Amino acid sequence: MLRLVDTCACANRWRAHSEAVALFCCGLMLCALLAPPWPGATLVLLTAMIAATAGARVPASAYVRALLLPLGFLATSAVGLCFSLSWADGLHLAYSADGARTAWQAGLRALAAISVTMLFACTVPLPQWLALLRRLRTPEALLDLILLTYRMIFQLDEGLAAILRAQRNRLGYASARRALHSSGLAGGALFIRAIVRSARLERGLAARNYSGRLTVLLAPSATRPRHLLLAAAVPLALALLSWLASHPV
Amino acid sequence: MTPLLELRAIRYTYATDTCRPGHPRPPALDGVDLQLRTHSRLAILGANGAGKSTLLLHLNGTLRPSSGELLLDGSRFDYSRRGLTTLRQHVGLVLQEPDDQLFAGTVRQDVSFGPLNLGLSEAEASARVEAALEAMDLTTLADLPPHQLSHGQRKRAAIAGALAMRPRLLVLDEPTAGLDPRGIDELAHQLDLLHARGIALVLTTHDIDFAHRWAREVAIVQEGRIVVQGAPDPILGDSRLMHTAGLRLPIALAIRQALAAETTARPVADAV
């Protein structure tokens, strides 16, 4: 899923407009959290989906797939709110109407918030994101850490895939016991690989005069004032619509 | 003429080498002498563990020798911070595994790392980055993250990263490893272009055929020593030497020798 989101972020139409997308997503997120779930959160959900697929041209299937994992957690929590288990007079499963209402409201709000988060993740590549954070004067050490973590995640992901493939080829996952043993070995091997890789990376950076700062050229931004205006106007319009709907004249 | 870079009696032993108690590990480099000139085009060959990569890591000061000295433009190198900055500006190093070098979010950003570390302005660094990307045919891939590139493209990105520092000598550790034949041909072509621009090139390789057709000079490393250095044909055609060093003859020379042997043997056979 990580690669899916990363690929979308690097290939979408809005990839060079990080400021506008960030403003847009902040506005939508505020609407999702503050406006009433109906219709506020619903409007945010629809807007985020349309913005991602029609605006940024993120493939709909990819966007939905990215939403599926957090949606699974959400569904599990909602079931927990709707039903309660009791052992007082034997095992007893009870449905709670209040719980269902809370689950519906919280679920809708959370879904809207997740869809906005995914819109941001699928449209802003990390270099743009870092450039934005640097313009906002985020401490350099934190930015370096984010950058290295981003790079290492994909390197280790490749390494883990190779380790798992090698283990599967030798029946490392043929039974639950072997699978547990193999997973432990894979974790250990990955840890060592990470240490070795970081030492090598340090050597590679030293060859280019690394002196403690990972200074690179910032990704240029294509955002213009009209983009920012539009990015602010849409969430404001949603907030207004939501307020009007919940306060009928 | 003063060599660009010179190693004199370099000796190096890895401190962290694992070895049996009472059996100290032999030095990785044991008295290496090497001169590299402005137009060098040298391939360093040797079996695994012979000391090739260790030798390369000495050329840009990544490793400091236990004894011996390194001379840059005839001056003894002192391994000070300022000295290392200067040395690494003149000597670009490309590691065998490109992922050991690429750290940034995009290829363009990664290539900009070296020039910015040299204290160049953003405009000047940007100009160097674009030139390096163009030289390595990476302009269209410049805004992609390294993990979305193929292995060959990552290798080129790593070379571009070193190239953007405008080195006079470019040192490449196993540049052909993991490349398909087309990738090797493309790399050879790009190295030719760099050499034509006046950049001296030194590389290590296990690809004897590539070394034979690319290098103007070869050096054979064996047990931490350069046992022979000179023009490719006489050295790579010496089957006894190559066998001792754990190498084989290049195919072109092996065929030439086989044909010569057959031509020599035929009159005898005809006479019989």
Side-chain angles (χ1 to χ4, degrees):
Chain A
M1 185 174 109
L2 202 62
R3 283 186 185 273
L4 179 79
V5 171
D6 187 63
T7 306
C8 291
C10 291
N12 78 88
R13 272 208 319 179
W14 290 355
R15 62 183 181 275
H17 295 278
S18 56
E19 287 98 339
V21 175
L23 182 64
F24 183 56
C25 289
C26 281
L28 287 184
M29 186 62 87
L30 282 175
C31 282
L33 298 176
L34 301 177
W38 177 263
T42 318
L43 283 173
V44 169
L45 176 64
L46 286 173
T47 309
M49 285 183 142
I50 292 168
T53 54
R57 301 276 166 83
V58 173
S61 58
Y63 185 69
V64 171
R65 272 175 65 197
L67 278 177
L68 281 179
L69 185 67
L71 210 59
F73 286 108
L74 208 57
T76 317
S77 314
V79 169
L81 284 170
C82 292
F83 297 94
S84 59
L85 266 177
S86 160
W87 277 270
D89 303 314
L91 192 62
H92 188 67
L93 183 68
Y95 170 75
S96 158
D98 282 346
R101 199 175 308 112
T102 311
W104 166 248
Q105 290 180 344
L108 203 56
R109 203 185 283 283
L111 184 58
I114 288 167
S115 68
V116 175
T117 309
M118 280 304 164
L119 169 66
F120 186 78
C122 289
T123 51
V124 182
L126 189 111
Q128 287 282 347
W129 195 46
L130 287 178
L132 181 66
L133 288 174
R134 189 162 280 160
R135 284 182 203 113
L136 294 172
R137 302 192 183 282
T138 309
E140 291 291 337
L142 186 62
L143 296 180
D144 290 354
L145 198 63
I146 294 171
L147 182 60
L148 285 180
T149 306
Y150 170 73
R151 187 74 188 102
M152 287 297 267
I153 282 173
F154 289 99
Q155 285 193 10
L156 292 179
D157 181 50
E158 279 178 13
L160 181 64
I163 292 168
L164 294 179
R165 201 179 305 122
Q167 288 181 328
R168 278 195 204 101
N169 288 343
R170 287 176 288 162
L171 306 178
Y173 292 85
S175 68
R177 197 175 160 192
R178 282 187 191 169
L180 188 66
H181 182 64
S182 299
S183 305
L185 288 176
L190 196 66
F191 176 71
I192 291 167
R193 197 173 281 213
I195 302 284
V196 171
R197 183 49 63 84
S198 62
R200 285 187 188 169
L201 185 62
E202 197 178 346
R203 180 173 282 182
L205 294 177
R208 289 190 283 166
N209 278 336
Y210 171 64
S211 57
R213 283 276 319 279
L214 294 173
T215 317
V216 293
L217 286 176
L218 292 183
S221 169
T223 300
R224 301 286 172 268
R226 62 193 164 88
H227 299 133
L228 293 172
L229 207 64
L230 190 65
V234 174
L236 278 175
L238 286 186
L240 191 65
L241 264 177
S242 176
W243 187 82
L244 287 174
S246 54
H247 295 83
V249 183
Chain B
M1 194 174 124
T2 311
L4 194 164
L5 198 70
E6 187 176 358
L7 301 182
R8 281 188 192 160
I10 293 286
R11 194 179 156 88
Y12 183 81
T13 307
Y14 282 100
T16 54
D17 270 350
T18 51
C19 59
R20 285 179 297 152
H23 294 79
R25 187 133 178 150
L29 292 182
D30 190 9
V32 169
D33 294 307
L34 181 68
Q35 287 190 349
L36 298 166
R37 300 188 182 278
T38 314
H39 294 290
S40 285
R41 190 170 162 134
L42 171 72
I44 299 173
L45 304 166
N48 285 335
K52 305 185 297 293
S53 298
T54 308
L55 173 57
L56 288 199
L57 292 175
H58 277 81
L59 296 180
N60 84 332
T62 299
L63 294 181
R64 189 174 182 163
S66 321
S67 62
E69 56 187 17
L70 175 73
L71 287 88
L72 177 66
D73 289 321
S75 304
R76 192 176 173 192
F77 183 67
D78 63 358
Y79 292 90
S80 65
R81 182 182 282 262
R82 184 180 286 182
L84 281 171
T85 304
T86 309
L87 178 66
R88 286 166 184 170
Q89 184 176 359
H90 290 296
V91 183
L93 173 69
V94 180
L95 299 175
Q96 179 179 349
E97 181 53 58
D99 281 334
D100 294 344
Q101 222 168 300
L102 304 174
F103 73 93
T106 65
V107 173
R108 179 175 274 113
Q109 288 190 337
D110 198 277
V111 175
S112 73
F113 178 67
L116 289 174
N117 283 337
L118 291 176
L120 300 178
S121 68
E122 288 205 357
E124 201 175 345
S126 184
R128 283 197 182 194
V129 168
E130 296 311 317
L133 289 172
E134 202 178 325
M136 296 315 292
D137 200 15
L138 283 168
T139 309
T140 53
L141 305 172
D143 292 318
L144 288 179
H147 54 261
Q148 287 191 15
L149 306 183
S150 70
H151 186 70
Q153 290 165 342
R154 283 185 217 184
K155 284 226 170 195
R156 275 156 46 204
I159 296 173
L163 207 57
M165 296 177 80
R166 302 255 167 100
R168 292 157 66 202
L169 168 67
L170 189 61
V171 176
L172 305 104
D173 193 8
E174 304 273 2
T176 57
L179 294 184
D180 59 17
R182 180 181 289 182
I184 293 174
D185 286 346
E186 284 172 3
L187 177 77
H189 174 65
Q190 273 148 351
L191 293 181
D192 286 346
L193 294 177
L194 296 182
H195 191 257
R197 282 168 47 185
I199 300 175
L201 298 168
V202 177
L203 57 83
T204 63
T205 183
H206 283 295
D207 187 340
I208 306 284
D209 297 306
F210 172 79
H212 179 233
R213 71 171 190 269
W214 176 83
R216 281 193 192 153
E217 200 182 4
V218 295
I220 307 287
V221 179
Q222 193 182 347
E223 294 175 356
R225 291 167 182 267
I226 293 181
V227 290
V228 63
Q229 183 180 350
D233 271 18
I235 293 175
L236 300 181
D238 185 337
S239 47
R240 195 168 162 186
L241 170 72
M242 295 296 275
H243 180 73
T244 313
L247 302 169
R248 64 160 178 81
L249 296 188
I251 288 174
L253 292 183
I255 291 172
R256 194 192 296 170
Q257 286 186 8
L259 286 173
E262 196 174 324
T263 317
T264 318
R266 189 169 291 158
V268 179
D270 288 348
V272 173

